[in-house]
Amino acid sequence: MTRTVDTTQELAAFLRTRRERLDPRDLGLPARRQARRTPGLRRKEVAELAGVSVDYIVRLEQGRGLRPSVHVVEGLARALRLARHERDYLFNLTRQHLSGADKPATAAAPSLARLVADLAPQPAMLMNHRFDILTWNGEMARLLLDFDTLPPPQRNAMWLCLMRPRMRDFYVDREGALREGIAHLRAAWAAHPEDEAMTGLIAEFMAGDEEFARLWAERDVEVNGRGRKVLRHPDAGLIDVHFEVLMPLQDSDQRLLIYRAADDASQSALDRLYAR
């Protein structure tokens, strides 16, 4: 069961998975005559690239309670070729910089709630870091579902995608949408280690959905603020949308999600849907 973040064990697992995914040839390391028994880099190679001892890498990967310095974390990030979001995740796990300082948002800021309404006819909604849906406009409700009919605990975008049967086929690329959401959720999990509501959600997903458990174990970390999705609406058919996620400076735990039609056919489908 996933409880509040055990940063020591998560750091150990994250370092192991990042090390094992690397190909030594891509890093210009000399070929070895002896076959490798495990995928990826050896601990000795990571230690050399990061500028630390092999014993230090072993103790980190065994979860023996070390807290790496900023210098060591930087070295590990370089050695493991971490992407920006993975690097942020590593810093969060080692508690070397503050993030998520604001308390988790449980209600929409009034000015942002008005903005969501004013964005019509573009579908828009406001969420917090754990995907709780705080407010939405009528267009988003028509596109996804009437959130007013749901009990508050179910007004969570990830919960709906995983646990509500009618939403399981809503995203044409379901696995891609899940991967993206889970990578965001893992980053938020590390940045808000004391958020018991979020860790409770993750525990529910782990117990109730095998696909979530499989993807969560891969430890992908990424926060994607824009992109494109194809939605399968039960009444309007396929709708291709661009999405944008914006974070206000003053309420940094609130995230504004906006959908826009990606082509004329999708815009026509949205217009028909709104006119119903």
Side-chain angles (χ1 to χ4, degrees), residues 3 6 20 54 60 64-65 85 151-152 161 173 221 241 248 257 269 272-273:
R3 302 186 186 277
D6 183 339
E20 291 171 356
V54 179
L60 281 175
R64 288 161 60 181
H85 297 299
C161 186
D173 181 9
V221 184
V241 297
L257 170 64
R272 291 193 301 272
L273 181 63

Side-chain angles (χ1 to χ4, degrees), residues 56-75:
Y56 194 85
I57 297 294
V58 170
R59 286 186 288 161
L60 281 175
E61 290 195 1
Q62 290 178 347
R64 288 161 60 181
L66 299 180
R67 182 177 175 180
S69 66
V70 172
H71 177 74
V72 169
V73 174
E74 289 281 8

